[in-house]
Amino acid sequence: MRADRRQDAPARVRAGRGGGAVAAVLAAGLLAGGCSAAGTTPDAVPAGGGATSSATPSGGADGVSGFASAPPVTPLESLPAAVPAALAPYYGQRLAWTPCDDGYECTGFRVPLDYDHPADGDLTLAAVRAPSVPDGSGERLGSLLLNPGGPGGSAVEYVEGAARTYDAAVRARYDLVGVDPRGVGRSSPVSCLSGERMDAYTSVDITPDDPAEVDALVAAAKEFAEGCRQGAGARLGHLSTVEAARDLDVLRALLGDERLNYVGKSYGTLLGATYAGLFPGRAGRMVLDGAMDPSLDSLAGNRTQAGGFETAWTAFARDCAAREDCPLGRTEQQAGEQLAALFAEADARPLPTTDAGRRLSEAQATTGVVQAMYAEFLWPRLRTALADARSGDGTGLLKLSDAYYGREADGSYPNLMSANAAVNCLDLPAPFTGPDDAARAVPEFERTSPRFGRDMAWMALTCTYWPVRATGTPHTVRAAGAAPIVVVGTTRDPATPYAWAQALAGQLESGRLLTFDGDGHTAYGRHDACLDGAVNHYLLAGEAPENGKRCGS
């Protein structure tokens, strides 16, 4: 069972919002926040035209009959420029960097659990940096903060895995820095279930066919939520994106930078956009790759994300059908029919695998396919896994599913999915009040995504049983007065649909949309000379590409 929209993966949490996670691809910056596709995304306003609202059709939120009308979408308000006196001790800390992890430097710093009540206690956040390697090409530009997405992706692990793959000129003039957001990785992490219970959670049926299966799905969501309540305590109410963005400002000050320079992927775009909205005067050179649209509510986000994965599946199916080794037939239609038949078989009789004691459920089969949509280089592996599954061996799809969740060979899991749900369920109100709402939403989800819509409608139940009330609401981000912000969108991105990049670039007063015509999740760092060149020039010279510039095929 996946989670709710976002970060490096879709629903059960991810998303994106972008949205699961694969350690192998995190290093390449391909994974991140779960998210969504087109559909009810508002028309983008030209850059500089101001914020838009996420209008929905009459007849209920997101146009799904039977749901209450969505509240108006309002802009995110900036915070006062002056640091409040109560927060001065946090901004006055001194970072103590120590050698760690194969040539990197590590540190920790304190932030308040509750910015409104800093006396209530602190959290300790972990950060890592790859110091700049001067080459005489120019003066040092400061720090460049990196975030791979999620929510729940470790920026510390990302920097340690990806820093040396960044352009040499960028590494020469910036310290590359990653901080695990609150509740993530090494920063006061949230953990909700044991490895054994996570195995059960990820295999629960997410396309219930009868009341008993609905009850089992609800029970799994409740167990997960209760595990998070017990494991996180008071932290569970203070893991929002707004609070994480405020943490970034503390770190900016401790690094000695007047402005925050930043590259965020997938959910990292929401974190970066939120920072720019809260502190527009301190926003430096910011690249938001695989953008999320903060104006969407969770129902629209989950449904449109399903559309994003449908778009990616269509691209995969067309590519597969043109190959001799395609295990799904010779046409796109045959591929869809064969996939549906495979899912039905796994639903009726989970497939055996070579992993002792484990069988492939329909939920895990679906997650395995979803995982491969994140990166085109995974498509050959998916073709092999599908061929094996059609022959009765679910091992390949199970390994892809495990990669999505970050499951290790010893059965342990990172806290990715725990943090993912914790952030998502705090950022936006739950889309449903119970399983009846989810069942009513299924037809609309399936119209958006015949392949994945039903799954993603039911997966949106996660936040319904969350033990703390959401503190965020859908909003636009204008960041009035900020320097140019580059928003990168990939036309067939499965997790953060291209329409989201258009929407965010339109909301930002200084947004510049940079388009990559291609497949997979996020674009910067995939060695496209046009796109990488435009981003690197912006980071080094401060000159943003013209709004609407296109790269790729």
Side-chain angles (χ1 to χ4, degrees), residues 95 97 109 127-129 140-148 155 158-159 166 170 174-180 244-245 247-257 259-265 268 271-272 275 285-288 524 539:
L95 296 177
W97 294 98
F109 62 101
V128 67
R129 74 177 173 186
R140 181 178 175 276
L141 294 173
S143 304
L144 180 64
L145 269 69
L146 311 179
N147 184 280
Y158 175 71
V159 167
Y166 270 65
V170 173
Y174 285 102
D175 294 338
L176 302 187
V177 178
V179 56
D180 281 349
D247 296 340
L248 290 183
D249 195 57
V250 173
L251 179 56
R252 173 205 56 78
L254 302 186
L255 291 169
D257 294 330
R259 295 193 175 199
L260 182 81
N261 301 311
Y262 179 88
V263 175
K265 291 174 174 282
L271 180 59
Y275 180 89
R285 300 172 188 180
M286 305 192 78
V287 179
L288 309 180
Y524 177 51
L539 292 174

